[in-house]
Amino acid sequence: MHRSHSTLGTPLRVADLPIETEALARALVGLSLGVRSREGIVGGRIVEVEAYLPESDPASHAYRGQTPRNAAMFGPPFHAYVYFIYGNHWCLNLTSEAAGTGAAVLLRALEPLAGIDVMQARRAGQPLRDLARGPGRLAQALAIAGDDNGAAVGPRRRICLYDPGLAARVVASPRVGISSAKDLPLRFTLAGSRFVSSPLPRLRAMV
DNA sequence: GCTAGGATGCTCT
DNA sequence: GAGCATCCTAGCC
């Protein structure tokens, strides 16, 4: 029989990834992400992420220091940082940098590959392209919520990264939905993917 | 395809 | 009380 994760690739040891935030963000694009649940492994290819840098990034939740909410960002690298936003949505990050430094990479969009029927059930039957296109949708499709905050990521864990053995061309652009440090090119997308949340950053009303 | 506006509740000031 | 690392719907092109 085939291994159950064959669509996603080979489980990846996080020790093979860089811990520096921008390097990690770039490295994640093109890898696969899978989340275990009773319904099986659900996930897909990472097509969009954003880096939230240590120390000097005013858009980062860690910018004003550690609080109960952002504590996971200051913990060890390669753990989930999950937060609740806009009264409705969960967002999933992978922590970066050594423990004591607050930084993370926001996972913004997936190309669904495994457990598509499960994602569709969780996402009210939405079309394939919209199942995990956007951070809130991604979390809903993968059933990520507050319980996952602080969890380690890796093989045999609930949340696991996979190497699909495919090359990835990565494009940098400004981050989406933030009000400070808008121009830094810290959003990284898989070139040509239809599963990216928006081809261009959403325009915000100017006052 | 696009834009605008509102929902929703937690976190920190 | 303000401000969100968002999403959905309605309306228009």
Side-chain angles (χ1 to χ4, degrees), chain A residues 34-58:
Chain A
V35 177
R36 241 185 268 289
S37 70
R38 271 193 225 108
E39 297 105 319
I41 294 179
V42 170
R45 195 169 190 205
I46 299 169
V47 299
E48 177 179 355
V49 303
E50 286 177 356
Y52 286 87
L53 303 180
E55 316 282 332
S56 57
D57 181 359

Side-chain angles (χ1 to χ4, degrees), chain A residues 89-127:
Chain A
H89 310 290
W90 296 98
C91 293
L92 172 63
N93 296 248
L94 189 62
T95 59
S96 57
E97 310 290 343
T101 299
V105 177
L106 173 65
L107 304 179
R108 289 192 54 91
L110 297 185
E111 173 181 349
L113 292 175
I116 289 171
D117 51 337
V118 175
M119 288 193 249
Q120 240 150 9
R122 291 171 179 163
R123 291 269 311 133
Q126 296 242 335

Side-chain angles (χ1 to χ4, degrees), chain A residues 33-172:
Chain A
L33 175 74
V35 177
R36 241 185 268 289
S37 70
R38 271 193 225 108
E39 297 105 319
I41 294 179
V42 170
R45 195 169 190 205
I46 299 169
V47 299
E48 177 179 355
V49 303
E50 286 177 356
Y52 286 87
L53 303 180
E55 316 282 332
S56 57
D57 181 359
S60 172
H61 289 173
Y63 184 59
R64 288 177 178 79
Q66 186 170 341
T67 67
R69 175 170 80 148
N70 67 18
M73 293 183 81
F74 290 83
F78 312 121
H79 287 238
Y81 165 47
V82 180
Y83 65 88
F84 188 64
I85 191 69
Y86 292 115
N88 276 302
H89 310 290
W90 296 98
C91 293
L92 172 63
N93 296 248
L94 189 62
T95 59
S96 57
E97 310 290 343
T101 299
V105 177
L106 173 65
L107 304 179
R108 289 192 54 91
L110 297 185
E111 173 181 349
L113 292 175
I116 289 171
D117 51 337
V118 175
M119 288 193 249
Q120 240 150 9
R122 291 171 179 163
R123 291 269 311 133
Q126 296 242 335
L128 183 69
R129 181 166 180 257
D130 293 339
L131 290 181
R133 187 167 62 90
R137 295 163 170 171
L138 182 155
Q140 188 181 20
L142 299 179
I144 293 289
D147 287 351
D148 295 298
N149 188 38
V153 171
R156 316 182 62 114
R157 302 283 188 167
R158 173 169 140 81
I159 305 173
C160 182
L161 293 164
Y162 300 82
D163 183 353
L166 299 172
R169 258 188 57 225
V170 180
V171 178

